[in-house]
Amino acid sequence: MYSDLAVQIRNKAIDLHYKKCGIIKISDMLEYADKLRERIERIPETKPYTERFYSFSNLQSNYAWAKSIVVCVRREGKYRLPKHLQGLIGKTFLVDYRRDKQSKDYQDSMNFEQYLQEKGLQTATKRDFGISALRWAAYKAGLGIIRKNNFFYTEKGSWMHLEAWLIDKELDLVENNTISRCPGSCRLCIKACPTSSLSEPYLMNHSTCVSYLTVYKTSWDLPNEKYRHLTGSWIYGCDACQDACPFNHNAWSEDEEFPNLEELGTHISLGKIVEMNYDFLRDVIHPKFWTIQKENVWKWKINALSAMLNNYKKSYDKSINIACKDENEKVREMAEWIKTEITHT
Ligand code: B12
């Protein structure tokens, strides 16, 4: 039997439009460290990056007061998306509410936190990148399963955003799910990964993932980048391994509007980004897509130029020529290099 408080917390989460909510003990996260160790053993070059996530497992060293984790699942796959941005920008980034105060999802998240505090609980969360390993926490809370592409799925697919709060009370609320696992022979997600970053079930190399390359990699020297030509039309994120998954078939239903998305979409295309002025990139694009840092917004332009080269059309020439005079040296170099590549092909 679960305590009244645990049930009240779950009910509140559901009232606030989370699809699921569970509560696990802090110690349930210790096993996640084994997954990190396995990842490092199998792909040793990921060690410096992967090691930083041990703090997600060993929560007590930073939060001595914490006893449990409340983990919530929110469905993202309900928003209408501008068609022309699909395959360019990862869907989850289009409806990212982590810093979007206008979105209902963000407001619900704040209200939920306030509710926990009103119940007398001490809480801690990190909205940007999570306070713990969110997939593992949601899996341990029985809210769904982790599939071969490493994504957390409920019975409605993987287009779910995860959130978690540490609390200072020992509570538990673990669901017993009956979701079927991936068929043994299925490798569709692995085959779909453009760079083979996802090379085996449950194994991926972040450093070659298109999402990492296009968004987080700062030493992004495109002419010399081994995986450049494999990033295809993606300029910010990648959904290939999720899109290919049969368990995501029809999982994105487009019933609701995400605030300002349609209007913002009218300003975005490969050509418009390449020609965009830097104030607009910093003041309008960056607040929405904040994981490319403000000082690196030039990355948008070289990603767009790269996508132009990957699926070259004569109509891109105008933008490529404009980029040859861009105020940023990296953008100019990329545009000049692309011109020579086009001439050679
Ligand atoms: C670091 C990180 C990244 C990095 C590295 C990705 C990675 N896989 O590690 C980069 C920048 C590449 C990235 C990109 C993206 N990310 Co990210 N990322 C994270 C973060 C901060 C930590 C992930 C982590 O723990 N990595 C460590 C490795 C070891 O874990 P893992 O790869 O997830 O592997 C798990 C499984 O393999 C499992 N496992 C291993 N063996 C086995 C065996 C069995 C049988 C089972 C059941 C499980 C299992 O254990 C691992 C731990 O859970 C989380 C947020 C958080 N705080 O948790 C978001 C998170 C995972 N990202 C998310 C998303 C949406 C994305 C993107 C789709 C964004 C985009 N549109 O481009 C891309 C997709 C990239 C991809 N193909 O994976 C969501 C995923 C939601 C979901 N439903 O799963 C999260 C949970 C954020 C959130 N708040 O919802 N991400």
Side-chain angles (χ1 to χ4, degrees), residues 29 31-32 35-40 42 49-50 52-53 56 73 76 89-94 97-98 126-137 139 145-154 157-163 181 193 197-198 201-207 209-216 234 236-242:
M29 292 311 296
E31 239 177 300
Y32 168 76
K35 300 298 168 199
L36 295 176
R37 269 189 289 276
E38 271 170 45
R39 180 69 53 88
I40 292 168
R42 297 185 67 187
Y49 181 83
T50 306
R52 69 175 80 166
F53 299 125
F56 280 171
V73 179
E76 303 176 308
I89 297 182
K91 292 191 265 300
T92 50
F93 286 125
L94 291 171
Y97 65 87
R98 290 173 291 175
K126 288 187 179 170
R127 263 186 195 79
D128 284 357
F129 296 109
I131 196 152
S132 185
L134 300 172
R135 288 164 165 170
W136 194 255
Y139 168 64
I145 62 169
I146 298 176
R147 296 203 178 278
K148 289 178 184 174
N149 58 6
N150 297 306
F151 276 80
F152 169 84
Y153 283 67
T154 69
S158 69
W159 304 112
M160 306 286 160
H161 182 76
L162 306 177
E163 290 182 68
R181 297 174 69 97
C193 178
S197 153
L198 179 67
Y202 310 106
L203 187 69
M204 64 98 68
N205 181 344
H206 74 278
S207 73
C209 171
V210 173
S211 190
Y212 180 82
L213 293 171
T214 55
V215 178
Y216 297 98
W234 293 106
Y236 192 84
C238 175
D239 291 334
C241 64
Q242 292 182 89

Side-chain angles (χ1 to χ4, degrees), residues 51-191:
E51 263 181 346
R52 69 175 80 166
F53 299 125
Y54 280 117
S55 60
F56 280 171
S57 168
N58 185 14
L59 291 156
Q60 218 118 37
S61 58
N62 286 327
Y63 304 94
W65 51 267
K67 299 269 188 322
S68 314
I69 307 177
V70 179
V71 54
C72 292
V73 179
R74 201 167 185 93
R75 181 160 175 250
E76 303 176 308
K78 60 185 176 187
Y79 288 114
R80 240 183 303 289
L81 302 173
K83 292 271 169 297
H84 69 287
L85 296 185
Q86 295 193 33
L88 266 68
I89 297 182
K91 292 191 265 300
T92 50
F93 286 125
L94 291 171
V95 299
D96 185 351
Y97 65 87
R98 290 173 291 175
R99 291 188 183 183
D100 192 334
K101 297 195 169 79
Q102 287 179 20
S103 84
K104 186 85 181 67
D105 307 279
Y106 177 90
Q107 291 159 12
D108 285 345
S109 172
M110 297 303 278
N111 287 336
F112 184 63
E113 183 168 323
Q114 194 183 334
Y115 172 83
L116 295 175
Q117 290 165 358
E118 282 166 7
K119 285 284 169 190
L121 298 167
Q122 181 173 353
T123 66
T125 192
K126 288 187 179 170
R127 263 186 195 79
D128 284 357
F129 296 109
I131 196 152
S132 185
L134 300 172
R135 288 164 165 170
W136 194 255
Y139 168 64
K140 293 300 281 184
L143 306 180
I145 62 169
I146 298 176
R147 296 203 178 278
K148 289 178 184 174
N149 58 6
N150 297 306
F151 276 80
F152 169 84
Y153 283 67
T154 69
E155 41 289 275
K156 302 261 190 254
S158 69
W159 304 112
M160 306 286 160
H161 182 76
L162 306 177
E163 290 182 68
W165 287 263
L166 305 185
I167 56 169
D168 61 343
K169 198 169 166 66
E170 222 163 278
L171 293 176
D172 76 320
L173 202 147
V174 175
E175 274 186 27
N176 193 3
N177 79 67
T178 52
I179 302 173
S180 58
R181 297 174 69 97
C182 296
S185 60
C186 185
R187 290 178 70 88
L188 289 171
C189 55
I190 295 164
K191 281 192 203 138

